[in-house]
Amino acid sequence: MNMTRKVGIIGMGNVGAAAAHYIVASGFADELVLIDKNEAKVKADALDFEDAMANLLHHTEITVNDYAALADADVVISALGNIKLQDNAGDDRFAELPFTRVEVRAVAEKIKASGFHGKLVVITNPVDVITSIYQEVTGLPKNHVIGTGTLLDSARMKRAVASRLGLDPRSVTGYNLGEHGNSQFTAWSTVRVLGKPVTEIAAARGLDLAELDHEAKVGGHTVFRGKKYTNYGVSTSAVKLAVAIMSNSLTEMPVSNFREEYGIYLSYPAVVGNDGVVEQLQLDLTPEELEKLQASADFIKQKYAESKEALQ
């Protein structure tokens, strides 16, 4: 029985490189396949990682630009994109879609041709639409194709709430739901801190939840404006997801997964393990939250339908 942990990363820009570094430095994989159109860049990254190995605790075998090597990978992470398109006045995540939907379709065909039958973790934006395209083109089971979704937005919300209360963000539980984009929202009914619903704590301590919701939503734009890309937060989300799959940890987290009742990929908590999404949670949301989630789902569906038409 081959117990080697093998991960592929497609797209070695700021995000892919940060994910690869986290994997190599932490010893999360025994084999890593790095793929990028810019051959000089991906080869340089591979050599740079190999130069780091003498000073690391773990060894990782690295392969470059070989789709065939993905055939027996446990997880493939899609980190490709064109970040310059994100630099737009309205902070619109859909600015990348005309580029990514074409690239992703071609990459998905190559992944399929490689014989890959593992789990696909998608970071590429707009992530819910792109995750849908990957699933459709690869033909992989829906529960084996997962987007990082609001795993990052939920982390931003936890950071915002925790910093107001002088706590570690891991002390806050709860979710941001829906689209990883402008229609996502914090489901405050799910957020708990210090053993109480956050709504109680907010009332007692004068926290403005609308302000915190906004802070979570624009956290990415704030980082983006400072350095013209975001990479650590989102790559950490993707690696957390990949490790949950490889270690069969059965971790419950808000990720972009296919929800039958909405007929589309959107972020909603699910239990993730060796078989991808192994269980979908059913939250007890307020009527207002359900309305926001439906609006988010409708928006993603519309963008997905437009993409399919554009690709005809």
Side-chain angles (χ1 to χ4, degrees), residues 196-304:
K196 295 191 175 88
V198 76
T199 42
E200 263 180 56
I201 302 267
R205 304 210 188 177
L207 296 186
D208 183 341
L209 294 183
E211 193 183 299
L212 290 171
D213 181 67
H214 181 70
E215 203 174 303
K217 192 177 288 189
V218 301
H221 306 316
T222 310
V223 173
F224 185 87
R225 279 195 284 273
K227 61 183 194 178
K228 295 302 178 194
Y229 58 91
T230 67
N231 59 339
Y232 299 123
V234 72
S235 60
T236 302
S237 302
V239 174
K240 178 179 181 170
L241 197 40
V243 171
I245 291 165
M246 288 189 292
S247 61
N248 194 29
S249 66
L250 304 175
T251 304
E252 167 256 301
M253 46 182 136
V255 289
S256 189
N257 59 119
F258 188 86
R259 293 288 304 201
E260 228 26 271
E261 72 272 41
Y262 293 105
I264 196 71
Y265 272 88
L266 52 74
S267 280
Y268 201 101
V271 177
V272 176
N274 211 222
D275 196 34
V277 169
V278 295
E279 189 182 335
Q280 294 184 309
L281 273 65
Q282 205 52 60
L283 300 172
D284 193 9
L285 299 174
T286 66
E288 188 196 358
E289 288 165 348
L290 285 168
E291 213 171 283
K292 285 180 179 175
L293 191 56
Q294 186 63 59
S296 204
D298 292 344
F299 184 67
I300 298 164
K301 269 175 130 157
Q302 178 205 328
K303 291 290 189 181
Y304 179 52

Side-chain angles (χ1 to χ4, degrees), residues 137-195:
V137 178
T138 60
L140 289 165
K142 288 190 172 80
N143 65 312
H144 289 182
V145 184
I146 311 170
T148 48
T150 59
L151 189 52
L152 176 55
D153 307 280
S154 300
R156 285 176 175 147
M157 174 273 291
K158 291 172 184 179
R159 184 250 309 147
V161 171
S163 70
R164 289 290 198 289
L165 299 172
L167 293 168
D168 179 291
R170 289 169 297 187
S171 302
V172 180
T173 61
Y175 315 105
N176 279 36
L177 302 177
E179 176 212 356
H180 173 60
N182 296 336
S183 71
Q184 58 101 0
F185 63 99
T186 303
W188 290 116
S189 69
T190 67
V191 182
R192 292 183 68 84
V193 60
L194 302 174

Side-chain angles (χ1 to χ4, degrees), residues 127-140:
V127 72
D128 306 287
V129 171
I130 293 298
T131 306
S132 307
I133 293 173
Y134 265 121
Q135 191 278 322
E136 186 197 357
V137 178
T138 60
L140 289 165

Side-chain angles (χ1 to χ4, degrees), residues 60-139:
T60 312
E61 266 323 302
I62 297 180
T63 307
V64 165
N65 277 0
D66 181 7
Y67 271 94
L70 299 178
D72 60 347
D74 300 291
V75 177
V76 166
I77 297 172
S78 167
L80 62 104
N82 184 347
I83 197 60
K84 290 187 178 62
L85 298 174
Q86 260 334 118
D87 204 355
N88 62 75
D91 291 325
D92 179 16
R93 278 185 225 263
F94 279 88
E96 275 192 89
L97 185 55
F99 172 83
T100 52
R101 67 185 171 212
V102 175
E103 289 288 306
V104 158
R105 178 153 281 220
V107 164
E109 296 284 7
K110 288 177 183 166
I111 291 173
K112 186 179 183 178
S114 77
F116 171 71
H117 52 273
K119 315 298 173 291
L120 193 50
V121 169
V122 183
I123 306 174
T124 300
N125 268 330
V127 72
D128 306 287
V129 171
I130 293 298
T131 306
S132 307
I133 293 173
Y134 265 121
Q135 191 278 322
E136 186 197 357
V137 178
T138 60

